[in-house]
Amino acid sequence: MELIGYVLTALLFVVSIAYLYVRSRHNFWRDRGIAYPREQPHLLYGHMKGALDARHECLINQDLYNDYKQRGEAIGGKSFFIIPSLIVIEPELVKTILVKDFNVFHDRGVYNDAKADPLSAHLFALEGQPWRLLRQKLTPTFTSGRMKQMFGTIQEVAEEFRKYMEENCDQEEIEMKDVLARFTTDVIGTCAFGIECNTLKNPDSDFRKYGNKVFEQDLLLMVKFIFASLFKGISRRIGVKLTDEGVERFFLQVVQQTVQYREKNNVQRNDFMNLLLQIKNQGKLAEQDEVQLGKGEAGLTMNELTAQAFVFFIAGFETSSTTMNFCLYELAKNPDIQERLREEINRAIEENGDKVTYDVVMNIQYLDNVINETLRKYPPVESLTRVPVRDYTIPGTKHVIPKETLVQIPVYALHHDEDHYPEPEQFNPDRFLPEEIQRRHPYVFLPFGEGPRICIGLRFGLMQAKLGLITLLRNFRFAPTSRTPANIEFDPKSFILSPVTGNFLKVDKIV
């Protein structure tokens, strides 16, 4: 009995300490005099308890953003589960964090461990000098010249996409969300790995299977994520791993086989893998000089190369396919906009001798406007994150953001602020006419981020989305069906903004 008493006392002590620790995390901003939500945080979920009601984080952050803005705050605190974080409200402060004081906020605060979790050590997650060196090496792989070289490869996939749609458009309706994801999987598969995935014909391909698995979340993964975010040093020492074992095994194997085959047979292709191999073996691309990168620059290890190919694939197929999906959804609901866009596309191609070229695809102004409005209403990443490398005093205040504190820039909330975009739920591409853009603060449209850490692959992502939409709109008309939702409901389990249901549309061949 005495032993049981000691055990219960010890257990009570541990639980009490844990409770007090969690409560101290929730009181973090209140104790520092920074604005805090009126609603009490959940013990474990913090201010993310809306997730219990199946609400996406973008809506939770939007509520906090609107509350803080109404209270006249430039920034406000919240508990991201039990992690103290900040939400930025004022666009000028957004600019300061992303650009002016980038030397303080150059890291995203994303956990990575090249040793225990090799696929996590990619450009999106790396920090400090390792990120700078890798960004410098990879930037030339995304120039417009490189995109032109890859354009023909993507056109081939787009042609297969057109054939697939022709073969299936006689159905009563087509679920476009899955079809578009299969199209972009095939594009990224061939451009990042030089492999024909054929997911349009084989939706159960391994690339589709493991690509989807990356975006699946469960309770264990969330617990590991929170622990790794709170205790990065300890996590790296004990080898915490966030990447699924099957995903890691698949991508490491695919890249190793591809690299071995290409190097053995001296294969040259216009794709990312070819460029990554140059950097792996030479430390730079062939045309980069030593002044740019320095003499004797180290190349990439096989794991580093795989991590970059992995993130190109994951970021490229999901964000572009969801953007195209949301765009088709809005065009189906707004047939006048769809018809105007189709006319603009056809006119531009006719003026180019009926040829679809990279320059034509990238320079149709109304297509830009439609895609930008889609990205405004449905930004793929609902918020940007940054962490300061030292204690940082917010300009014009006495408030200090402690070192390594998570700072969130709520992109979705900024994009739906009626002060920046009147009637924000209305789909209106004319918001992106030059004169309208001039009226707005430049840092209230952030679908790709901004500053030195802006999305490196934005040009590629736009190219494949534009070519995909051009291929569809030149050949097919889209209309809602009885299963097309009146409003999009976002999947709370996906950190990429994605609809819960499929996008069922009536597709008619244009003759």
Side-chain angles (χ1 to χ4, degrees), residues 88-363:
V88 183
I89 314 301
E90 172 56 49
E92 199 59 34
L93 183 55
V94 172
K95 179 180 179 180
T96 298
I97 289 170
L98 294 180
V99 181
K100 290 182 179 178
D101 288 332
F102 179 77
N103 62 314
V104 179
F105 292 95
H106 50 69
D107 297 339
R108 288 196 171 102
V110 178
Y111 173 78
N112 64 90
D113 183 356
K115 187 176 179 181
D117 193 358
L119 294 190
S120 71
H122 48 67
L123 189 66
F124 184 86
L126 286 177
E127 300 176 337
Q129 191 63 9
W131 168 79
R132 283 191 174 89
L133 291 174
L134 187 59
R135 176 89 182 201
Q136 196 174 26
K137 290 176 184 177
L138 294 179
T139 294
T141 66
F142 289 94
T143 62
S144 58
R146 297 292 183 192
M147 297 304 102
K148 286 183 181 180
Q149 291 175 2
M150 295 181 199
F151 185 75
T153 302
I154 301 175
Q155 269 189 310
E156 292 174 7
V157 181
E159 177 59 18
E160 291 300 314
F161 187 27
R162 183 192 65 77
K163 291 177 182 176
Y164 173 88
M165 292 296 294
E166 277 197 353
E167 292 168 1
N168 291 275
C169 67
D170 58 349
Q171 300 177 24
E172 186 176 330
E173 59 186 6
I174 297 179
E175 200 288 278
M176 292 304 301
K177 176 185 174 185
D178 181 62
V179 173
L180 290 164
R182 285 152 60 189
F183 164 65
T184 55
T185 296
D186 284 353
V187 170
I188 300 293
T190 190
C191 287
F193 297 91
I195 294 174
E196 293 184 9
C197 303
N198 291 319
T199 57
L200 281 168
K201 298 176 181 176
N202 176 24
D204 297 321
S205 73
D206 283 344
F207 270 93
R208 188 83 183 101
K209 171 185 171 183
Y210 288 108
N212 283 335
K213 200 166 185 63
V214 172
F215 294 94
E216 293 176 0
Q217 297 185 44
D218 56 34
L219 182 60
L220 177 60
L221 179 61
M222 184 57 66
V223 170
K224 288 164 67 177
F225 170 79
I226 293 171
F227 182 85
S229 300
L230 282 171
F231 310 109
K232 287 184 181 178
I234 296 174
S235 297
R236 291 190 178 105
R237 282 197 291 274
I238 64 176
V240 171
K241 191 170 189 169
L242 300 181
T243 306
D244 177 81
E245 290 281 358
V247 169
E248 179 184 289
R249 186 166 52 251
F250 172 73
F251 281 99
L252 286 172
Q253 184 178 4
V254 165
V255 171
Q256 185 174 29
Q257 291 174 348
T258 302
V259 168
Q260 287 177 349
Y261 178 80
R262 289 198 181 194
E263 292 187 335
K264 181 179 179 180
N265 297 281
N266 194 28
V267 176
Q268 300 292 320
R269 291 183 86 243
N270 287 323
D271 59 18
F272 290 127
M273 184 59 72
N274 197 61
L275 302 175
L276 289 172
L277 280 171
Q278 286 185 39
I279 299 171
K280 168 185 172 288
N281 296 324
Q282 303 167 27
K284 61 182 180 180
L285 296 180
E287 69 274 20
Q288 286 182 283
D289 57 34
E290 292 180 346
V291 175
Q292 287 176 290
L293 287 174
K295 297 181 180 179
E297 188 67 39
L300 298 174
T301 66
M302 185 64 77
N303 280 354
E304 288 171 338
L305 185 152
T306 304
Q308 309 326 310
F310 170 72
V311 78
F312 292 165
F313 177 78
I314 296 306
F317 97 80
E318 183 70 13
T319 56
S320 293
S321 69
T322 54
T323 297
M324 293 169 66
N325 182 53
F326 286 130
C327 187
L328 283 183
Y329 168 80
E330 289 290 350
L331 291 176
K333 289 179 61 180
N334 297 276
D336 53 333
I337 296 176
Q338 181 182 161
E339 198 56 41
R340 178 182 169 187
L341 177 56
R342 184 177 291 109
E343 290 173 1
E344 295 284 346
I345 289 170
N346 288 333
R347 182 183 301 114
I349 294 171
E350 286 171 10
E351 291 174 355
N352 196 50
D354 286 329
K355 293 180 180 178
V356 180
T357 63
Y358 174 83
D359 289 327
V360 168
V361 167
M362 299 303 284
N363 290 287

Side-chain angles (χ1 to χ4, degrees), residues 8-20:
L8 290 175
T9 301
L11 182 62
L12 181 61
F13 177 76
V14 170
V15 170
S16 298
I17 292 297
Y19 175 82
L20 291 172

